[in-house]
Amino acid sequence: SSAAMAALRARALLAPLGTRLRAGPRAPLRAAASGPPLYDVLVSGGGMVGSAMAAVLGHNIHFHDKKIALLEAGPRKEYNHMPDNYSNRVSSISPGSATLLSSCGAWDHVCRLRLKPFRRMQVWDACSEAMITFEKDDLDDMGYIVENDVIMSALTKQLDAVADRVEVFYRSKAVGYTWPVPSHSCDTSPWVQVELADGRKLQTKLLIGADGHNSVVRKEAEIKNIEHQYDQSAVVATLHLSEATDNNVAWQRFLPTGPIALLPLSDTASSLVWSTSHDHASELLAMDEESFVDSINSAFWSNINHSDFIDAAGAMFRSAISLVKPSGTAVRQLPPSVAKVDPESRAMFPLGMGHATEYVQHRVALIGDAAHRVHPLAGQGVNLGFGDVACLAHHLSAAAFNGNDLGSLKHLFKFETERQRHNVSLIAATDVLKRLYSTTQTPLVLLRTWGLQATNALPPVKVRI
Amino acid sequence: QLSLFRLTVKRPFSTSHSSVDSKEMKKFQLLAHKWWDEEGEYAALHSMNDIRVPFIRDTLLSMNSNYHLGNPLSGIKILDVGCGGGLLSEPLARLGASVTGIDPVEDNIRTADQHKSFDPVLAKRIQYKSSSLEEIVEGSMETFDVIVASEVVEHVADLEMFIKCCSQVLKPEGSLFITTINKTQLSYVLGIVVAEKIMGIVPEGTHEWEKFVRPEELECLLESNGLSVKTVNGMLYNPLWGSWSWVESTSLNYAVHAVKAVAQAQSPATDTPPETHIQQCSATAGTAG
């Protein structure tokens, strides 16, 4: 709390705290008895991150007597068993995220439905032989590839389990928010007012915005967002491999046009995430299935972008490393070849980067893509969101056990500081990587080649990643 | 050296029937609407919740094995004496307790009532009353499980009467929690000169050093009124971070937990006229300090 209070004081010096305590349209004066239903926490947005937030709080012992609401614009998603075909929207789930989902009982459902653990990750450059592999020494799983629908279904089940505490509003969209004036001028309602599309009104002591990278909560709270549209779209598809294999490696190759990734789904199937220019993406979607499969195989296997100079420079650096650290170089393995693509599974969506300058305000907190949007090349997107959930739940739990007002900036600032410190460096690094790998210019290729080779040889750096 | 700081007169034996000091009341009247500004005059009291609420909560939980972590103080009746704007009443009520908050300043009660009115859970669990402690004694004999007198005893006119009344409205084996300021050279320099006049941590004129209470004196008064002292902890405010922490030394701020004895047996102590307890306890504290 000491650092947070110092920050609070610093803020108060630099900019009057009133800017964080919004003076919007005044909330109406109401006695406690009448008035819209009042919730302790209202989560706006029922995607993976928003649903996880509601489920984790709902299962938290200090929230046993609290009232939580979750607003989701879409319908309820639940599966008792998965359809034969894999969905084309999958996520790479880190062990930390798995722990979070486990804490609210959702991970069991995920395991029962379907998921694919992977043990190794190979990342390499199309312009050189440089490569880095990630592997956990203790033979543990590095991560899991899970369909988004599976995660949603698991969370829905766990929300049902705490239905006495968590009220889920499906097919409900918030169309307006009214912010309270700071609590010490106490003649108006101190709560956040939420108006739904069907005219219903709700009140909450804390509003959590989990409504995606075009967050309405963030916009209405007038929180500035630093954003940048990449000139790229991601093409996703479900692929079938030429032959069955252990398939416990995640593959990613950096092409000049963008990274192409193959994520294992089963022994015979993998998910494609190919970030490339908008034009190329449209081409890929339009071409026939055979040509599509050929493009993928060629992208992973072809050495057309190598130049002799780079190859020689890379080889020289590699021998230099092997003198110093014999085990620091490795043979590049080849990913499995693809035989066919699931019809109807091809899709594309535009990519961008975004970061909210503030994650919190009086009675408001942003989590997930509403707070930060990142390029898929690092496979981090939803893991950052789950990290937000874990951190915010921790601080809210402590606040509840201390009898605090849940919307108080005192603990919301702690959440913001912790997560910004973690997220900003990762988002910046991802952005830098994306730009660094978008070129064929020799000096930059050499830089990243040597950089990648060096990183592969240095255990401490690799472990941090 | 102490004589340098000694102000006008020693604490008089009180012949009044009230522990309320009207001069003190006026001071708080002026700031009645400032209670809930977390960054304002009462910022230090707001952040004191970070240690006093867990202290009260954990002490009570350790004395009672039958609780639910979702509602830890459920079923416990608490009297918050000198509740002001309700800064401490509200967190205790959120943890499940039924809280009665009393304060002699009507404007404070008005502020407290209004602040709780928007939260139906708090509105039900907290009752505020503009009253002194003496005024409720008759109707509340042995009514409360817990009494909290936080940052209050350094403002009362008659400390012994105050403690007697606490003992009367407390159930046997009930707990009394007090936080207050020690009467030392250090507390004059830091608690009055620095806190009030230099840094403005506390509104100027809030405290009178003469009325600060030494822990030895307080302990003595408590024990001679049937309240057994279980814990005395030093507290320290860090103005840079705006946060409180527990410390070894009680030279500045400190907290006390006392428990009312089960049977109020006729002990020799009660034969002596009550007015002399305070003389005895001051003398003890004087020689000990």
Side-chain angles (χ1 to χ4, degrees):
Chain A
S1 88
S2 42
M5 287 312 278
L8 214 160
R9 260 140 240 290
R11 272 175 241 261
L13 285 171
L14 295 172
L17 217 71
T19 57
R20 291 286 202 127
L21 309 168
R22 290 203 36 72
R26 283 187 156 224
L29 169 64
R30 281 193 212 283
S34 62
L38 173 64
Y39 294 89
D40 293 286
V41 177
L42 190 148
V43 182
S44 183
M48 289 188 283
V49 174
S51 300
M53 187 82 242
V56 166
L57 287 180
H59 281 86
N60 185 298
I61 190 134
H62 299 303
F63 274 73
H64 187 265
D65 283 5
K66 304 254 185 272
K67 288 177 63 181
I68 302 163
L70 174 64
L71 296 184
E72 167 52 29
R76 188 185 154 90
K77 283 190 188 138
E78 196 180 356
Y79 300 90
N80 283 316
H81 57 265
M82 300 306 293
D84 288 334
N85 284 354
Y86 284 89
S87 157
N88 62 7
R89 294 310 304 271
V90 307
S91 295
S92 169
I93 301 296
S94 68
S97 297
T99 305
L100 176 80
L101 292 172
S102 201
S103 75
C104 66
W107 191 244
D108 280 340
H109 298 307
V110 170
C111 295
R112 230 172 288 138
L113 282 172
R114 86 182 155 203
L115 82 170
K116 187 76 177 73
F118 62 93
R119 294 273 162 81
R120 208 159 67 85
M121 205 152 76
Q122 179 172 300
V123 178
W124 74 112
D125 194 339
C127 296
S128 78
E129 290 292 318
M131 166 194 85
I132 184 168
T133 59
F134 296 94
E135 206 157 13
K136 281 181 88 160
D137 290 325
D138 35 0
L139 293 180
D140 264 347
D141 296 327
M142 267 196 76
Y144 312 89
I145 304 298
V146 189
E147 292 153 279
N148 294 354
D149 284 343
V150 168
I151 297 175
M152 277 312 308
S153 181
L155 287 170
T156 303
K157 270 210 175 59
Q158 286 312 98
L159 285 169
D160 284 346
V162 288
D164 53 339
R165 266 159 263 168
V166 184
E167 198 176 336
V168 187
F169 294 77
Y170 289 107
R171 299 182 194 277
S172 300
K173 213 168 137 55
V175 294
Y177 298 101
T178 311
W179 311 110
V181 290
S183 57
H184 55 277
S185 46
C186 35
D187 52 346
T188 54
S189 168
W191 316 128
V192 178
Q193 314 290 320
V194 181
E195 190 176 336
L196 302 183
D198 61 9
R200 272 183 300 179
K201 288 195 164 70
L202 308 170
Q203 299 186 88
T204 181
K205 300 175 189 174
L206 173 65
L207 171 69
I208 298 181
D211 46 351
H213 66 261
N214 283 322
S215 168
V216 174
V217 173
R218 188 188 68 223
K219 288 184 188 144
E220 294 275 309
E222 293 186 9
I223 291 175
K224 270 193 68 176
N225 192 41
I226 299 168
E227 54 187 47
H228 175 82
Q229 304 304 325
Y230 292 128
D231 287 328
Q232 285 189 341
S233 284
V235 173
V236 294
T238 308
L239 307 173
H240 294 277
L241 308 177
S242 308
E243 47 185 44
T245 167
D246 270 340
N247 207 13
N248 53 16
V249 180
W251 308 94
Q252 177 152 287
R253 193 180 198 198
F254 282 99
L255 307 173
T257 46
I260 179 172
L262 207 61
L263 307 172
L265 290 171
S266 72
D267 287 349
T268 54
S270 287
S271 187
L272 173 80
V273 184
W274 190 346
S275 310
T276 183
S277 68
H278 297 305
D279 288 339
H280 186 215
S282 310
E283 269 176 47
L284 286 169
L285 248 55
M287 60 175 70
D288 62 276
E289 290 180 9
E290 242 188 77
S291 312
F292 183 66
V293 167
D294 285 343
S295 306
I296 295 172
N297 284 324
S298 152
F300 275 113
W301 291 59
S302 145
N303 283 339
I304 202 165
N305 282 300
H306 286 208
S307 82
D308 292 335
F309 175 68
I310 297 285
D311 279 353
M316 178 195 80
F317 195 66
R318 211 168 41 250
S319 16
I321 288 182
S322 61
L323 286 173
V324 177
K325 200 178 186 309
S327 62
T329 62
V331 178
R332 176 155 63 98
Q333 295 195 347
L334 292 166
S337 77
V338 177
K340 74 186 189 70
V341 57
D342 251 355
E344 319 288 318
S345 75
R346 276 187 273 177
M348 70 185 254
F349 52 91
L351 298 177
M353 175 269 248
H355 193 251
T357 52
E358 293 160 357
Y359 285 6
V360 301
Q361 268 187 12
H362 181 57
R363 300 200 184 286
V364 182
L366 300 176
I367 57 173
D369 282 2
H372 41 72
R373 182 188 182 197
V374 74
H375 195 284
L377 72 83
Q380 285 309 302
V382 81
N383 295 310
L384 287 184
F386 285 142
D388 293 343
V389 171
C391 180
L392 185 55
H394 166 80
H395 288 293
L396 289 180
S397 178
F401 194 46
N402 280 348
N404 288 346
D405 178 347
L406 290 175
S408 162
L409 271 173
K410 215 163 54 167
H411 52 266
L412 292 180
F413 272 146
K414 291 186 210 174
F415 154 74
E416 180 187 74
T417 306
E418 255 184 67
R419 291 311 290 170
Q420 281 195 335
R421 212 183 289 148
H422 177 274
N423 293 343
V424 169
S425 44
L426 197 140
I427 293 168
T430 308
D431 191 66
V432 164
L433 274 179
K434 187 244 164 239
R435 291 167 200 278
L436 185 60
Y437 275 93
S438 298
T439 177
T440 49
Q441 287 178 23
T442 305
L444 288 169
V445 174
L446 212 52
L447 176 71
R448 74 196 190 208
T449 299
W450 287 342
L452 200 59
Q453 286 173 322
T455 309
N456 195 30
L458 294 172
V461 182
K462 271 176 76 170
V463 166
R464 264 220 90 207
I465 298 176
Chain B
Q1 312 98 314
L2 232 66
S3 54
L4 265 172
F5 302 95
R6 193 172 297 275
L7 302 172
T8 48
V9 181
K10 272 197 277 208
R11 189 199 312 271
F13 304 145
S14 179
T15 50
S16 75
H17 296 292
S18 171
S19 61
V20 173
D21 185 325
S22 57
K23 248 179 42 213
E24 300 274 3
M25 275 181 61
K26 279 207 184 60
K27 282 190 290 199
F28 284 104
Q29 198 110 15
L30 293 170
L31 292 167
H33 56 289
K34 297 287 186 73
W35 284 104
W36 287 100
D37 179 1
E38 283 186 37
E39 307 303 306
E41 276 84 351
Y42 291 113
L45 275 182
H46 276 277
S47 62
M48 196 193 280
N49 277 346
D50 292 342
I51 64 168
R52 60 183 172 172
V53 173
F55 176 55
I56 296 168
R57 175 196 74 206
D58 292 342
T59 305
L60 294 176
L61 289 184
S62 72
M63 288 168 42
N64 166 29
S65 50
N66 188 25
Y67 59 84
H68 188 285
L69 280 173
N71 220 343
L73 301 184
S74 170
I76 297 181
K77 287 187 68 174
I78 302 184
L79 174 67
D80 184 4
V81 185
C83 62
L87 265 59
L88 183 51
S89 300
E90 289 202 5
L92 294 175
R94 280 197 198 97
L95 292 179
S98 303
V99 181
T100 302
I102 61 171
D103 196 282
V105 178
E106 258 189 57
D107 284 340
N108 286 349
I109 296 296
R110 222 192 314 272
T111 303
D113 261 327
Q114 188 172 50
H115 196 267
K116 74 157 194 184
S117 69
F118 293 102
D119 184 336
V121 169
L122 291 183
K124 211 175 57 162
R125 288 186 188 158
I126 309 177
Q127 303 305 321
Y128 289 117
K129 208 167 169 314
S130 171
S131 162
S132 71
L133 180 56
E134 297 78 20
E135 283 164 11
I136 65 155
V137 164
E138 258 190 59
S140 320
M141 297 294 285
E142 298 199 348
T143 306
F144 296 100
D145 300 296
V146 176
I147 298 183
V148 173
S150 180
E151 305 304 297
V152 164
V153 299
E154 70 267 25
H155 296 286
V156 302
D158 183 343
L159 182 57
E160 168 125 48
M161 155 104 70
F162 182 86
I163 290 175
K164 252 197 190 24
C165 293
C166 285
S167 179
Q168 283 173 307
V169 302
L170 202 53
K171 287 184 188 161
E173 295 191 313
S175 283
L176 171 61
F177 293 92
I178 293 176
T179 77
T180 187
I181 310 177
N182 196 349
K183 188 176 177 183
T184 59
Q185 268 181 298
L186 196 62
S187 72
Y188 183 78
V189 173
L190 291 184
I192 301 223
V193 177
V194 176
E196 287 188 15
K197 301 185 197 296
I198 298 180
M199 289 193 71
I201 298 167
V202 177
E204 187 159 352
T206 299
H207 290 128
E208 278 175 48
W209 186 78
E210 262 303 310
K211 296 178 81 170
F212 287 174
V213 186
R214 295 199 187 86
E216 303 83 24
E217 188 181 331
L218 187 59
E219 271 186 83
C220 177
L221 276 173
L222 289 168
E223 297 281 353
S224 50
N225 280 284
L227 294 153
S228 160
V229 175
K230 301 291 181 192
T231 316
V232 179
N233 274 336
M235 298 160 59
L236 184 65
Y237 182 65
N238 183 331
L240 217 61
W241 302 135
S243 65
W244 289 87
S245 49
W246 295 112
V247 292
E248 281 271 352
S249 160
T250 55
S251 328
L252 282 170
N253 298 73
Y254 64 96
V256 174
H257 170 232
V259 174
K260 177 171 170 179
V262 178
Q264 287 288 359
Q266 284 302 319
S267 63
T270 57
D271 287 343
T272 48
E275 283 83 7
T276 60
H277 274 166
I278 200 158
Q279 225 181 352
Q280 282 175 1
C281 290
S282 306
T284 327
T287 52

